[in-house]
Amino acid sequence: MADDTTDTKSSNQMWGGRFASGPDAIMEEINASIGFDKKLFAQDIRGSIAHATMLAHQGIISAEDKDKIVHGLNTILSEIESGNFEFSRQLEDIHMNVEARLATLIGPAAGRLHTARSRNDQVALDFRLWVKEELQKTEQMLTGLIAAFLDRAEEHAESVMPGFTHLQTAQPVTFGHHCMAYVEMFGRDRSRVRHAIEHLDESPIGAAALAGTGYPIDRHMTAKALGFREPTRNSIDTVSDRDFAIEFLSAAAIAGMHLSRLAEEIVIWSTPQFGFVRLSDAFSTGSSIMPQKKNPDAAELVRAKTGRINGSLVALLTIMKGLPLAYSKDMQEDKEQVFDAAESLELAIAAMTGMVRDMTVNTARMKAAAGSGYSTATDLADWLVREAGLPFRDAHHVTGRAVALAESKGCDLAELPLSDLQAIHADITDKVYDVLTVEASVASRKSFGGTAPSEVRKQIAFWRARN
Ligand code: ARG
């Protein structure tokens, strides 16, 4: 404490040795991170216990001091967990709040904990541990979402629906196949998450301020104790790197984009005009003025959360882009972006998993829509290629004429009399009607990864074995 000055504010008890007075109120406000980094308390304490244990093992601090430190840290952990800890903004961040409390609890031995480390490697450690756990949680949640889609896909391997391009009816597909498209997307998201875990799995502690330390520490020991594969290899990079947070945010942003596309489809499908799905009461809301309405609010909010996640990614990329090596205080702004994105992503995955599991699929509406819009026109063209030997381009032209005729008569392709079809091309026989139904159309698309129910079932089996 700088009590030999007239200034009423006291300097920081952790680093205030050379300061005569404490910070201005605004300085304190802009500097403090405790308001959000208290979320890292468990990681901070875990890291400190591993560090103190290693210091004692290496003979840098005594076993007695280590025992006091570990005991004190465990006390603090239960104080925080039970809500009996008073966080102080004057103490800036979680690291100094914990250390100050430790000093109160165990006295001078507390001052030995910070030997051979700095808040720069400490915060890198705490945050990595937090992000790693969040990535593991995300991986599990994506597995749950994939499982929900696999169940729906299995149930609807044969249910036909229109497939779209440009949101215009294109060709009939199965709803199971459409569900499996999301399985592929969320499967890729999950592998991005797994790669991110692999990338960040190195322990930063022991990099100290930026240059390493002269104490005979054992970074392999702390890495192992904290569940990391190995220690990081460059102390400068270690304290200036936030790639792990950015990789989390990019994986989250891509998953968010997928969730948002799904949300958009659910919004469209649940309109009375489409009527393909009906959301459960549990995942929709009513209107306070229009009694007939059932709104897909959860889907809309998932679509919107994606905007927040993208914002966080861009924010952190921008925060980092101009920083010289190594640590700069700018990096303190990393946490809120990640915390906010993590919360949004968790909510979005959970809401989508619930919606997908609960929604009622209206197969009759889907089937009726699947047959409209001349969705089997390609099947007619393919038939002409296969059975009448026409080059595809000519077959395309002939089919176009048939579609125009059906359109002028206000009927489907399958409703055109054979004489009409034969007037367009003489080689057409009544066998053609076999391919003009939506069921025949989807069943024929047996190419690897195609929409035929048999093929969809193969893909479901592939993913079941991997989920
Ligand atoms: N609260 C800081 C952060 O979040 C901890 C590291 C502070 N390091 C320093 N040299 N001031 O980044």
Side-chain angles (χ1 to χ4, degrees):
M1 297 274 169
D3 45 12
D4 56 341
T5 85
T6 50
D7 197 301
T8 48
K9 293 172 211 147
S10 52
S11 67
N12 187 290
Q13 72 181 86
M14 294 292 157
W15 46 250
R18 60 166 292 188
F19 286 77
S21 83
D24 186 89
I26 291 294
M27 178 59 205
E28 188 180 296
E29 193 176 341
I30 195 172
N31 200 33
S33 53
I34 189 63
F36 48 87
D37 68 14
K38 60 177 150 200
K39 238 190 164 85
L40 301 175
F41 74 90
Q43 291 77 12
D44 193 71
I45 290 173
R46 191 142 61 94
S48 288
I49 290 176
H51 182 66
T53 306
M54 179 278 293
L55 290 178
H57 185 262
Q58 298 299 101
I60 301 167
I61 64 172
S62 71
E64 267 164 276
D65 283 346
K66 183 263 290 180
D67 289 343
K68 282 189 203 161
I69 290 171
V70 171
H71 186 261
L73 287 170
N74 281 320
T75 306
I76 296 170
L77 182 64
S78 37
E79 285 176 352
I80 300 179
E81 278 172 345
S82 61
N84 293 316
F85 187 94
E86 212 175 298
F87 291 100
S88 147
R89 197 173 79 172
Q90 272 171 352
L91 290 167
E92 266 184 64
D93 55 26
I94 185 63
H95 325 297
M96 295 200 293
N97 269 268
V98 170
E99 203 185 316
R101 178 69 184 142
L102 189 64
T104 313
L105 286 173
I106 69 166
R112 300 197 184 274
L113 172 60
H114 214 52
T115 312
R117 79 170 182 191
S118 143
R119 274 188 297 153
N120 297 349
D121 57 340
Q122 192 179 354
V123 73
L125 170 65
D126 296 1
F127 200 27
R128 259 188 209 239
L129 286 172
W130 194 93
V131 172
K132 186 176 172 185
E133 282 165 36
E134 189 60 34
L135 283 164
Q136 285 163 340
K137 197 164 175 186
T138 308
E139 183 185 358
Q140 278 178 12
M141 293 189 76
L142 286 170
T143 298
L145 178 55
I146 290 170
F149 267 116
L150 286 172
D151 289 348
R152 299 317 303 254
E154 195 146 352
E155 191 187 328
H156 290 287
E158 317 242 345
S159 312
V160 285
M161 70 178 280
F164 299 94
T165 58
H166 314 264
L167 198 55
Q168 306 287 326
T169 302
Q171 293 172 343
V173 295
T174 58
F175 184 57
H177 193 217
H178 199 104
C179 288
M180 291 306 290
Y182 281 102
V183 167
E184 295 287 334
M185 289 148 84
F186 294 123
R188 287 194 297 274
D189 291 334
R190 189 174 54 182
S191 32
R192 265 183 285 277
V193 164
R194 286 176 179 158
H195 280 138
I197 294 173
E198 227 177 279
H199 263 162
L200 71 57
D201 209 11
E202 297 175 351
S203 170
I205 194 72
L210 81 164
T213 176
Y215 294 100
I217 59 170
D218 183 348
R219 295 192 58 211
H220 292 273
M221 181 178 169
T222 39
K224 196 161 170 231
L226 292 164
F228 288 109
R229 192 177 52 230
E230 58 190 335
T232 54
R233 288 176 185 278
N234 182 298
S235 59
I236 297 176
D237 175 51
T238 302
V239 296
S240 69
D241 164 40
R242 289 295 180 271
D243 290 6
F244 61 93
I246 294 172
E247 285 192 7
F248 168 75
L249 290 173
S250 7
I254 298 175
M257 175 270 291
H258 290 152
L259 288 160
S260 182
R261 294 182 75 174
L262 171 60
E264 173 66 7
E265 297 214 293
I266 288 179
V267 168
I268 293 173
W269 291 345
S270 62
T271 56
Q273 289 75 7
F274 266 76
F276 286 4
V277 301
R278 202 179 145 76
L279 293 176
S280 68
D281 289 354
F283 283 98
S284 44
T285 54
S287 154
S288 53
I289 174 168
M290 296 164 281
Q292 85 284 8
K293 288 198 77 182
K294 194 163 187 186
N295 294 328
D297 292 39
E300 294 167 273
L301 287 164
V302 166
R303 198 170 56 184
K305 295 272 181 212
T306 308
R308 290 173 73 127
I309 297 173
N310 292 349
S312 295
L313 171 62
V314 174
L316 189 51
L317 285 170
T318 312
I319 288 163
M320 294 303 296
K321 70 172 263 303
L323 300 186
L325 308 189
Y327 178 85
S328 295
K329 193 67 171 246
D330 311 49
M331 290 161 70
Q332 177 166 287
E333 292 281 315
D334 55 0
K335 288 166 218 55
E336 284 166 294
Q337 303 305 333
V338 169
F339 294 157
D340 189 80
E343 195 181 318
S344 297
L345 184 64
E346 275 186 36
L347 261 173
I349 300 176
M352 272 308 173
T353 308
M355 268 183 275
V356 168
R357 284 214 174 275
D358 275 18
M359 67 191 181
T360 312
V361 178
N362 189 334
T363 48
R365 281 297 287 262
M366 282 185 174
K367 188 181 164 177
S372 72
Y374 309 105
S375 66
T376 55
T378 318
D379 299 276
L380 173 54
D382 288 341
W383 187 90
L384 288 163
V385 170
R386 211 172 44 241
E387 306 296 330
L390 266 64
F392 183 78
R393 276 290 153 234
D394 297 347
H396 185 285
H397 187 78
V398 169
T399 305
R401 288 180 55 205
V403 167
L405 180 63
E407 212 166 26
S408 72
K409 292 192 152 191
C411 70
D412 277 345
L413 280 177
E415 287 162 5
L416 285 174
L418 186 59
S419 53
D420 278 359
L421 289 171
Q422 283 173 338
I424 295 170
H425 198 283
D427 291 349
I428 298 180
T429 70
D430 62 355
K431 286 243 182 317
V432 79
Y433 292 103
D434 292 347
V435 303
L436 294 182
T437 67
V438 286
E439 284 81 3
S441 169
V442 296
S444 74
R445 295 202 152 70
K446 289 200 191 81
S447 54
F448 186 82
T451 202
S454 57
E455 198 51 39
V456 170
R457 289 209 173 87
K458 275 185 216 158
Q459 300 306 334
I460 295 172
F462 172 90
W463 277 101
R464 285 249 189 246
R466 273 156 198 78
N467 204 43

